[in-house]
Amino acid sequence: MADIDVSDGGGHKKGPGVKKSKKKNARVDLTAMVDLGFLLITFFIFTTTLQQPMAMQLLLPKDTDRPEEQNKTKETGAFTILLGADDRVYYYEYMDPTAMQVTTFGKIRDLIIDKKRRTPKDDLVLILKPSDDATFKNTVDIVDEMTINDISRFAMVDITPEEYEIMKSKANLPVQE
């Protein structure tokens, strides 16, 4: 622990009859303090909560096997958004994939607002279909657009092979601005 090192100065006296005081060298052993420091560091590391992962909560309906129990939507209220490669967004209305058009993320908000304005609130359903070519960032961005535009009814489903082929055929078309 702590000890005091007392050693003789070993020096010479200066002059006759002058008594020289002894030098005391103090040395403190800090081993216990280092141990205590590591214990405190370990304690704080184990008791600190690290940053929690941030996740978006999606409320999804139950899966059902019978078609009559599935949620149905009116064709006039359906707006389908497909996410493709190179930040391209494909969309169509009225459940008609042959009328698919191409746009960008900058324009999709205006299209959603326009569809929301033209459709009764209870009929409006946006169908999101990210393709295998879409990035995770694009999927999160489009879900954020749903939140920004106060769209409470939207579904995220798989893209059909027919839609994927139409999307691929329109990949070289100029983007609608």
Side-chain angles (χ1 to χ4, degrees):
M1 295 273 200
D3 61 336
I4 296 179
D5 183 21
V6 181
S7 61
D8 185 19
H12 297 61
K13 297 180 181 179
K14 288 191 175 182
V18 177
K19 190 174 186 186
K20 189 171 181 182
S21 64
K22 293 183 180 179
K23 291 185 178 179
K24 296 182 180 178
N25 294 331
R27 187 174 81 73
V28 178
D29 185 15
L30 297 177
T31 305
M33 293 298 284
V34 171
D35 289 344
L36 181 63
F38 279 115
L39 283 173
L40 287 172
I41 290 171
T42 306
F43 172 76
F44 287 120
I45 287 174
F46 287 136
T47 58
T48 301
T49 57
L50 300 177
Q51 182 179 2
Q52 298 294 324
M54 296 173 60
M56 185 181 304
Q57 181 181 5
L58 293 176
L59 301 174
L60 303 174
K62 297 185 303 182
D63 286 335
T64 180
D65 294 330
R66 298 189 312 197
E68 62 271 6
E69 291 180 0
Q70 291 179 350
N71 294 335
K72 299 291 182 183
T73 184
K74 292 183 179 179
E75 283 192 23
T76 57
F79 189 71
T80 305
I81 299 172
L82 297 97
L83 304 176
D86 301 326
D87 295 335
R88 287 182 170 235
V89 180
Y90 303 84
Y91 67 95
Y92 61 89
E93 296 184 62
Y94 309 117
M95 304 279 197
D96 182 19
T98 58
M100 188 181 298
Q101 296 180 16
V102 185
T103 188
T104 62
F105 276 96
K107 183 72 174 161
I108 196 68
R109 180 177 294 174
D110 297 334
L111 295 168
I112 292 170
I113 291 170
D114 181 52
K115 180 66 177 179
K116 185 177 175 182
R117 182 184 48 75
R118 293 183 287 121
T119 310
K121 184 175 180 165
D122 293 337
D123 294 344
L124 180 64
V125 175
L126 271 74
I127 303 166
L128 308 176
K129 297 185 177 188
S131 70
D132 291 338
D133 303 328
T135 63
F136 181 74
K137 179 190 178 302
N138 290 347
T139 306
V140 170
D141 287 346
I142 202 70
V143 172
D144 285 344
E145 286 296 328
M146 300 302 112
T147 305
I148 291 168
N149 292 305
D150 195 30
I151 305 293
S152 57
R153 293 179 59 198
F154 65 92
M156 190 174 297
V157 296
D158 292 331
I159 191 168
T160 65
E162 175 192 6
E163 290 170 327
Y164 189 73
E165 289 302 318
I166 294 171
M167 191 174 76
K168 283 295 186 185
S169 69
K170 296 188 182 258
N172 295 328
L173 293 178
V175 176
Q176 173 190 343
E177 292 294 332

